[in-house]
């Protein structure tokens, strides 16, 4: 294992975050604060408790997950897309670095940045509502697995994308609707039976539900099922990434 290569890629990606601190950290904090002001204060004050907790506290895990997904996918995709865009990807591919080392460097940095921002959002949320974490180990487990899985997913998007329009397709047009319709701001038990069934086909529902359970023991889906779904998604992303490097898909042309 070439740890020096991993460290170099990781350090370069983390340095990019420090250069774009306003966009990377300040912007998500301001956005989350606005969500709490609008949903937590304006709307939440007119709603009853959900599952025994205040509405503001109920939506906090969903907002954290929304930020985490956007950050991990965005950082993971841009990290590998930019070398493709500038042509420096060929220097990486021709150097004595294995596929595993490249993935660890880029995905590790993207996941780290997502976890840092997600933690800041958690601290920000605690300033607006009372948050209790009843299962800290499960919370950290869901937090880390989601960060790694979607950083890897973003890495795949960065390889697949041929321009900036495709690069922004998932984080801008697909992820937000899935999160909003995945029980982030409501319990799917509030929906009619038909839409409850439809919601179970939304993969983000399992992420939000499992993550919220670790806070308040409130879940729309069995947390074990949520954990299995996250692990299955991680294995699928690893398998596809291995195939990409084996075949050279979107890398050698």
């Amino acid at each position: 294992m070439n740890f020096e290569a991993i460290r170099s890629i990781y350090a370069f990606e983390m340095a990019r975050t420090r250069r774009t601190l306003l966009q990377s950290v300040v912007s998500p904090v301001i956005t989350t604060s606005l969500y709490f002001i609008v949903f937590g204060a304006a709307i939440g004050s007119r709603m009853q408790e959900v599952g025994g907790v205040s509405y503001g506290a109920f939506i906090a895990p969903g907002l954290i997950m929304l930020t985490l997904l956007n950050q991990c996918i965005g950082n993971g995709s841009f990290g590998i897309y930019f070398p493709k865009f500038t042509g420096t990807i060929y220097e990486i591919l021709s150097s004595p670095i294995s596929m595993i080392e490249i993935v660890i460097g880029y995905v590790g940095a993207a996941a780290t940045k997502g976890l840092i921002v997600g933690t800041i959002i958690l601290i920000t949320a605690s300033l607006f509502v009372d948050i209790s974490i009843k299962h800290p180990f499960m919370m950290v487990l869901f937090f880390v697995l989601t960060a790694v899985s979607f950083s890897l997913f973003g890495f795949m998007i960065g390889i697949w994308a041929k321009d900036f329009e495709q690069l922004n397709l998932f984080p801008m047009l697909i992820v937000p609707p899935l999160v909003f319709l995945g029980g982030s701001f409501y319990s799917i038990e509030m929906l009619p039976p038909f839409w409850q069934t439809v919601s179970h086909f939304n993969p983000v529902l399992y992420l939000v539900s499992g993550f919220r359970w670790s806070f308040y023991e409130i879940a729309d889906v069995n947390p074990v099922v949520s954990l299995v779904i996250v692990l299955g998604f991680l294995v699928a992303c690893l398998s596809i990434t291995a195939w990409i490097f084996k075949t050279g898909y979107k890398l050698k042309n």
Side-chain angles (χ1 to χ4, degrees):
M1 183 72 72
N2 190 342
F3 291 102
E4 184 62 28
I6 295 174
R7 188 195 67 80
S8 298
I9 296 174
Y10 182 88
F12 178 82
E13 287 299 302
M14 294 304 294
R16 182 163 56 84
T17 300
R18 292 192 293 271
R19 293 192 298 269
T20 59
L21 193 62
L22 185 66
Q23 176 185 351
S24 302
V25 178
V26 178
S27 178
V29 170
I30 294 176
T31 301
T32 302
S33 300
L34 291 175
Y35 273 123
F36 275 109
I37 292 173
V38 174
F39 287 93
I43 298 178
S45 61
R46 304 186 181 187
M47 293 187 64
Q48 298 179 349
E49 293 183 344
V50 182
V53 299
S54 67
Y55 181 70
F58 179 83
I59 67 174
L63 289 176
I64 296 170
M65 194 59 64
L66 172 62
T67 303
L68 184 65
L69 295 186
N70 280 328
Q71 287 292 316
C72 290
I73 292 177
N75 288 314
S77 59
F78 187 82
I80 191 63
Y81 175 79
F82 195 69
K84 281 181 54 185
F85 179 75
T86 59
T88 55
I89 186 68
Y90 300 109
E91 297 178 7
I92 298 175
L93 295 176
S94 60
S95 61
I97 307 175
S98 68
M99 178 269 291
I100 296 177
E101 293 159 355
I102 294 173
V103 171
I104 292 176
Y106 280 109
V107 174
T112 301
K113 288 183 276 188
L115 290 171
I116 291 173
V117 176
T119 302
I120 294 174
I121 297 302
L122 175 60
I123 296 172
T124 303
S126 66
L127 301 177
F128 291 89
V129 295
D130 293 327
I131 294 178
S132 62
I133 304 175
K134 295 188 177 181
H135 300 279
F137 175 77
M138 291 299 293
M139 189 277 283
V140 173
L141 183 62
F142 272 108
F143 205 33
V144 173
L145 284 178
T146 301
V148 173
S149 299
F150 280 85
S151 295
L152 192 57
F153 182 60
F155 184 82
M156 291 161 43
I157 293 174
I159 294 176
W160 165 77
K162 65 179 181 180
D163 51 39
F164 284 99
E165 182 178 357
Q166 289 187 348
L167 189 69
N168 292 318
L169 178 64
F170 280 86
M172 298 297 294
L173 296 179
I174 296 179
V175 172
L178 288 177
V179 174
F180 288 133
L181 299 176
S184 297
F185 297 99
Y186 57 88
S187 171
I188 64 170
E189 294 179 357
M190 300 176 179
L191 301 176
F194 172 77
W195 291 108
Q196 289 188 34
T197 302
V198 172
S199 296
H200 281 85
F201 290 95
N202 182 352
V204 177
L205 169 67
Y206 301 91
L207 303 177
V208 175
S209 178
F211 193 57
R212 181 178 289 128
W213 177 86
S214 68
F215 281 79
Y216 314 117
E217 293 185 339
I218 302 172
D220 293 314
V221 182
N222 188 311
V224 176
V225 175
S226 298
L227 186 60
V228 170
I229 294 294
V230 176
L231 289 172
F233 182 72
L234 176 59
V235 171
C237 289
L238 286 171
S239 300
I240 295 173
T241 303
W243 173 81
I244 288 174
F245 276 90
K246 182 178 180 179
T247 61
Y249 174 75
K250 294 281 189 173
L251 291 174
K252 296 182 179 179
N253 53 2

